[in-house]
Amino acid sequence: MNKNNAQIIAEGVASQHVYERDVLVGSGDSLDRIVSMLSVPGAVLDVGTGTGALARFLSERKEYSVDGITHNPTEAEIAQPYYRDVWVSDLSQSGWINNISGRRYRYIVCADVLEHLVDPAAVLRSLATLLDEHGEIIISVPNVAYIGVVGELINGKFTYRQEGLLDRTHLRFFTRESLADCVSSCKLQIREWSSVFRPLADSEFKAHRLDYFPPAMARFLAAQADSSVYQFVLRVGYPLDGEVAMSEPATCGVEPMFCAQVYWATAGTVHAEKDSVFALGRMGVQNQRLRFHLKGWRPNCTHLRIDPADRPGFLRLFFARLMDSAGRTLWAWRPEVSDFNVSGQITACPAGSLGDGVQLVLTGDDPHFMLTLPAGLTADQADDHVTFEMEVGWPLVPEAVVIGRELEATALRLVEREGAYRSLASERTLLVSRLTETLSLLERERQRTTSTEAALQELGAHVRELRQELASRDDRISRFEAQLSDLNRSRDILSDRLGYAESMLEAVKNSKLWRLGRILRLTRIGL
């Protein structure tokens, strides 16, 4: 009785794991990248056949003849119908190449194979001897510098899995640089380098978000050049006469990246890391759209915090919008210079001749700005279907980092000066308060003084009147004294006269003539 593939795989799982994949054209995965590099018809050696995905795909193209090598008899049994020959060999053991002696290949495909080998460079050198004159080896390997692996490692974990980047059968781990060194050690030259990107949320590490890291550290990890590269795919061969070597593989094909982050919150709540999402942008790209899938979005969200980048530099911001699952715009926003505040480590200036949008100068390691959503904004879609999109540009300006640091230092000085100004303003307010109080006291004293001056003036007038009256009285007294002196003199004269008269009278009384007259009654005057 013939066994179907499912039965064969089920039986094989008990002994060795069976790798089952299909070529999905346009998917952008490693197999899709590999078949796109098979541009010239010829013989192909598929090292690590799995269940024969590559041969099944190429079987429809008669210009290719495909042989295969696998270490798993179960895989060989499933894949056999699609290959010209399949050999079950352990590449870690000597002599495996003898099975293929005499054959030459235009392409040798090592799809996720080298990481399973004790000495991948030695196997690569042996495979290179099977190439024809223009033959090439196409290699795909997982990237151990992927953010999911790094995040787990920093958190003290290195968990092997049945498949994926930490497949339990992996013996070797590669980064971009170490893979380039391995190829170079085999005297081979890199002719094409491709990177397979995979968001953390779509990987086997999706359960381990970066929430347990400080935001600045999470953004730093996410912004590393290969942080979202899941696999590397290379096309290599022996150097040809006149062939120009590829540029430094440590940066080839991957622009420097920056990390943006969006937070959402409802009225009265603060922004939390659990209600945020990252997106990566590429430096040196003038126009690019960053999309943030807002998982956990709620229709009553009132504001967004946008961290446009994780470092100083120059960022062009064109527009932003919220979209539902059908791509319909729920809300759109075009930035103005007045929308930004220097306290958010952002200085905004008009785009000028550059066109629409604004030019942002990011001056710190946590630049951000706030957006208030319009009242009544709703989305009838499921939480995971709301997307925030920004169109930005990050021109590569060599002086950006230096200028950014200078601007950051300037901003810090401005903050310090603002603090000093606020301190001086507080002191000024206190002094003004004290001055106002003193002026109030002086006003009251002035009013009292004015009242006293009026009283003094009145008293002075009264004194002057008294003095005038006194002078008048003194004048009258002087006249009275003069009159009295005259009277006294008149009195003295009269007194003298009276004395004289009295003496004369006394003389008359004593005269004999007067007495005779009295007797004779000749005189009538009585003395």
Side-chain angles (χ1 to χ4, degrees):
M1 182 177 66
N2 293 330
K3 298 180 181 179
N4 59 34
N5 288 354
Q7 290 174 315
I8 295 173
I9 291 173
E11 292 175 359
V13 166
S15 55
Q16 290 178 307
H17 181 66
V18 176
Y19 294 89
E20 186 173 21
R21 295 179 64 186
D22 288 310
V23 176
L24 303 175
V25 176
S27 66
D29 66 7
S30 59
L31 280 181
D32 179 40
R33 306 288 180 93
I34 287 170
V35 298
S36 70
M37 293 180 181
L38 302 176
S39 57
V40 179
V44 177
L45 176 61
D46 184 11
V47 181
T49 63
T51 55
L54 182 62
R56 283 199 304 273
F57 179 81
L58 295 178
S59 63
E60 301 176 1
R61 294 160 174 78
K62 303 302 183 182
E63 63 270 24
Y64 293 96
S65 58
V66 187
D67 294 331
I69 301 175
T70 179
H71 74 296
N72 189 334
T74 303
E75 290 181 346
E77 186 176 353
I78 298 172
Q80 179 64 63
Y82 309 104
Y83 290 88
R84 182 177 60 181
D85 286 302
V86 176
W87 297 284
V88 178
S89 301
D90 184 352
L91 300 182
S92 298
Q93 302 296 322
S94 60
W96 63 268
I97 199 171
N98 296 331
N99 296 326
I100 320 173
S101 59
R103 294 192 180 183
R104 293 293 180 268
Y105 296 95
R106 180 64 180 83
Y107 296 106
I108 298 176
V109 176
C110 296
D112 299 335
V113 170
L114 299 184
E115 64 271 17
H116 296 270
L117 304 176
V118 174
D119 190 351
V123 173
L124 199 57
R125 282 191 290 269
S126 297
L127 289 173
T129 64
L130 302 176
L131 293 173
D132 64 19
E133 182 182 0
H134 299 287
E136 296 173 314
I137 302 176
I138 299 175
I139 303 166
S140 69
V141 297
N143 172 33
V144 75
Y146 182 68
I147 191 171
V149 178
V150 175
E152 279 198 356
L153 187 61
I154 293 176
N155 203 36
K157 298 179 180 179
F158 199 78
T159 305
Y160 286 96
R161 295 164 172 83
Q162 191 68 26
E163 291 187 12
L165 298 189
L166 296 182
D167 185 313
R168 64 181 73 257
T169 62
H170 286 181
L171 301 178
R172 291 289 182 266
F173 298 94
F174 294 95
T175 64
R176 178 180 295 270
E177 185 174 347
S178 65
L179 178 57
D181 289 343
C182 178
V183 171
S184 177
S185 70
C186 299
K187 309 301 181 184
L188 298 171
Q189 183 169 290
I190 300 172
R191 293 175 179 164
E192 184 176 354
W193 189 301
S194 181
S195 299
V196 177
F197 296 93
R198 181 173 295 181
L200 180 61
D202 296 335
S203 73
E204 65 268 29
F205 304 96
K206 60 185 177 182
H208 301 279
R209 291 170 56 89
L210 302 180
D211 297 345
Y212 43 79
F213 291 132
M217 183 177 182
R219 289 195 292 269
F220 172 79
L221 293 176
Q224 299 307 299
D226 289 328
S227 66
S228 60
V229 176
Y230 193 77
Q231 291 167 291
F232 298 116
V233 182
L234 284 72
R235 182 167 58 86
V236 305
Y238 284 119
L240 301 176
D241 292 340
E243 183 178 18
V244 178
M246 195 174 186
S247 59
E248 175 59 42
T251 57
C252 176
V254 178
E255 303 89 350
M257 302 175 71
F258 65 92
C259 181
Q261 189 172 8
V262 173
Y263 299 80
W264 56 93
T266 57
T269 62
V270 297
H271 295 96
E273 291 299 315
K274 65 181 182 64
D275 292 329
S276 70
V277 63
F278 294 101
L280 298 178
R282 298 204 173 277
M283 300 171 68
V285 179
Q286 288 286 1
N287 292 81
Q288 56 189 308
R289 293 196 178 185
L290 307 184
R291 289 182 175 86
F292 305 82
H293 300 290
L294 309 185
K295 296 184 178 181
W297 168 267
R298 297 174 295 281
N300 61 340
C301 288
T302 58
H303 52 285
L304 303 173
R305 168 179 158 147
I306 313 298
D307 293 16
D310 56 346
R311 68 196 68 191
F314 296 94
L315 183 73
R316 183 104 172 273
L317 179 58
F318 299 96
F319 73 87
R321 62 177 176 170
L322 277 175
M323 300 181 297
D324 62 14
S325 60
R328 294 185 295 265
T329 298
L330 301 172
W331 170 75
W333 170 72
R334 289 196 176 275
E336 301 288 344
V337 172
S338 58
D339 296 329
F340 303 91
N341 192 317
V342 71
S343 63
Q345 300 181 355
I346 293 178
T347 300
C349 52
S353 61
L354 298 176
D356 296 334
V358 295
Q359 190 77 22
L360 303 181
V361 182
L362 313 180
T363 58
D365 59 359
D366 188 27
H368 62 275
F369 61 91
M370 306 294 294
L371 290 178
T372 301
L373 300 176
L377 179 66
T378 60
D380 297 330
Q381 308 300 322
D383 289 349
D384 292 349
H385 292 165
V386 175
T387 300
F388 180 76
E389 181 182 79
M390 289 195 307
E391 183 169 344
V392 301
W394 189 302
L396 276 180
V397 181
E399 298 83 2
V401 174
V402 175
I403 295 174
R405 288 173 180 168
E406 291 178 353
L407 287 171
E408 181 180 8
T410 301
L412 289 175
R413 288 196 295 271
L414 285 174
V415 170
E416 292 175 357
R417 290 182 180 179
E418 285 178 0
Y421 170 77
R422 286 193 295 269
S423 178
L424 289 174
S426 177
E427 293 179 5
R428 179 184 178 277
T429 301
L430 180 59
L431 290 174
V432 167
S433 175
R434 291 178 178 175
L435 179 59
T436 302
E437 182 179 355
T438 303
L439 288 175
S440 178
L441 291 173
L442 288 174
E443 178 63 20
R444 290 196 296 271
E445 290 296 326
R446 189 191 68 78
Q447 292 175 355
R448 290 173 57 189
T449 301
T450 301
S451 176
T452 302
E453 287 177 353
L456 287 173
Q457 290 176 356
E458 183 180 357
L459 182 58
H462 185 58
V463 168
R464 286 192 297 274
E465 290 176 359
L466 291 176
R467 285 177 176 174
Q468 290 175 357
E469 184 178 355
L470 180 59
S472 176
R473 290 183 179 181
D474 287 343
D475 184 57
R476 291 171 62 190
I477 290 173
S478 296
R479 291 197 303 271
F480 288 157
E481 287 179 346
Q483 292 175 0
L484 180 60
S485 177
D486 291 341
L487 290 173
N488 286 330
R489 284 195 300 271
S490 298
R491 186 197 63 188
D492 291 339
I493 292 171
L494 290 175
S495 179
D496 289 342
R497 288 179 179 179
L498 179 59
Y500 178 74
E502 286 179 351
S503 64
M504 289 296 291
L505 182 58
E506 187 64 30
V508 171
K509 285 172 62 177
N510 293 325
S511 67
K512 292 178 179 181
L513 183 58
W514 184 81
R515 285 193 304 266
L516 179 61
R518 288 286 294 177
I519 295 173
L520 293 179
R521 300 188 184 264
L522 295 177
T523 183
R524 297 179 181 179
I525 300 173
L527 298 175

